[in-house]
Amino acid sequence: MSRRAKTAVYGVLCLLALPFLFPTWWMVTSSLKPVGDIFAFPPTLWPTDVSFDAYAKAFELQPFARQYVNSMYIAALVTIGTLAVSSLAGYAFARIRFKGANAWFVVILVGLLIPSEVTIVPLFKMFDAWGMVDTHWPLILVPILGAPSVLATFIMRQFFLALPGELEEAAKVDGLGRFAIFRLIALPLARPALGAVAIFTFLHSWNLYLEPIVFLSSSEMFTLPQALTQFVDAYGGPMWDIQLSAASLTALPVLVVFVIAQRQFIEGLAHTGLKG
């Protein structure tokens, strides 16, 4: 393409991106405005009087720093656990021949068809009997062993199916066992798929809302989606400037994770095979 054609294409893409970028821009800039300017008409695209008071109040009105740490470490543990479970299970279903493998895989995929709302009451009773209500264990164990891990297992299986069988045969000739082949050959080649799984797993855990409402009752144990609903005034009305500042801080880790791993995310979903 000529330089003029590339400029035209990028110009069109920038225009198409505006509807997706504007809500984020409005959220961040409005968090820096006084409350009276947020819904001013005509609206302003940049605050005339920049103020960070709303960010400070977000940490004063409730233990927002603790809630931020809660979401961070829960999302990290869920991502690591899901990567471990899905990579092992995906490799087993793709490369190991055992009786009923396809049938078992179909049974596992059925888990994707069951809404989380259907299983939330039995899960609550189970974790309540184990004394884990108002702890973070349900928010860690359920995603790792539930539907998000099933989707991750499917992605990993499809990626491992595309690996040439000659790689394993050469490794067996060199004396490597099954786990060594997985750890030294298959897993390093699966970095694009692992990146894709890591991003959507982290995002799912970070945005989890129903389960924290059901399992958590102490403000110190809240995660960020649940904490955002607590910024209300004495009459139950939303404190817009504080909610927007807290939402801006909440969106930051997701953007950072995606920017870092976006290449692996795209390659993992494309499943284009191996590069020479």
Side-chain angles (χ1 to χ4, degrees):
M1 296 177 63
S2 65
R3 180 174 297 181
R4 181 176 298 179
K6 288 183 179 180
T7 303
V9 169
Y10 284 121
V12 172
L13 291 177
C14 289
L15 290 176
L16 294 176
L18 286 178
F20 302 95
L21 296 176
F22 181 76
T24 303
W25 174 266
W26 185 87
M27 176 183 68
V28 175
T29 56
S30 296
S31 68
L32 302 174
K33 300 177 183 178
V35 179
D37 294 346
I38 294 179
F39 296 105
F41 186 84
T44 57
L45 297 180
W46 185 259
T48 56
D49 184 15
V50 177
S51 174
F52 292 91
D53 292 341
Y55 287 87
K57 291 180 181 178
F59 292 90
E60 294 174 0
L61 296 178
Q62 60 176 326
F64 191 69
R66 173 69 180 273
Q67 295 159 353
Y68 210 97
V69 172
N70 291 342
S71 286
M72 285 293 293
Y73 95 83
I74 290 174
L77 290 179
V78 169
T79 301
I80 295 173
T82 301
L83 288 175
V85 172
S86 63
S87 60
L88 288 168
Y91 181 80
F93 281 115
R95 314 304 299 188
I96 300 177
R97 303 297 176 220
F98 56 92
K99 187 175 181 180
N102 292 331
W104 279 112
F105 188 66
V106 171
V107 171
I108 292 175
L109 290 181
V110 171
L112 292 174
L113 305 178
I114 303 176
S116 59
E117 293 81 2
V118 174
T119 59
I120 195 67
V121 173
L123 287 174
F124 178 83
K125 291 184 176 180
M126 180 181 70
F127 284 110
D128 185 42
W130 292 349
M132 292 184 179
V133 173
D134 202 22
T135 70
H136 293 149
W137 281 111
L139 308 184
I140 297 173
L141 296 178
V142 173
I144 293 177
L145 303 176
S149 187
V150 173
L151 180 59
T153 300
F154 174 79
I155 292 177
M156 297 304 301
R157 175 183 179 270
Q158 297 305 111
F159 189 91
F160 287 132
L161 282 174
L163 295 181
E166 292 79 3
L167 292 175
E168 289 189 354
E169 295 175 1
K172 291 178 181 178
V173 171
D174 292 337
L176 294 181
R178 175 65 67 180
F179 186 75
I181 295 175
F182 166 76
R183 182 173 60 89
L184 299 177
I185 298 177
L187 200 60
L189 291 174
R191 282 181 295 180
L194 292 172
V197 170
I199 287 180
F200 81 72
T201 302
F202 184 90
L203 182 61
H204 176 270
S205 178
W206 189 259
N207 292 332
L208 204 63
Y209 183 69
L210 174 63
E211 286 78 0
I213 288 180
V214 173
F215 292 111
L216 303 180
S217 57
S218 303
S219 60
E220 294 80 8
M221 305 298 292
F222 285 176
T223 56
L224 289 178
Q226 190 177 8
L228 292 177
T229 64
Q230 306 302 309
F231 292 111
V232 294
D233 57 25
Y235 301 99
M239 305 170 71
W240 291 108
D241 55 339
I242 301 177
Q243 284 190 354
L244 289 171
S245 62
S248 299
L249 293 174
T250 300
L252 185 60
V254 176
L255 295 176
V256 172
V257 170
F258 182 78
V259 168
I260 294 176
Q262 62 176 328
R263 181 178 179 182
Q264 288 77 10
F265 179 73
I266 296 172
E267 290 183 2
L269 294 182
H271 297 298
T272 53
L274 297 176
K275 290 184 177 180

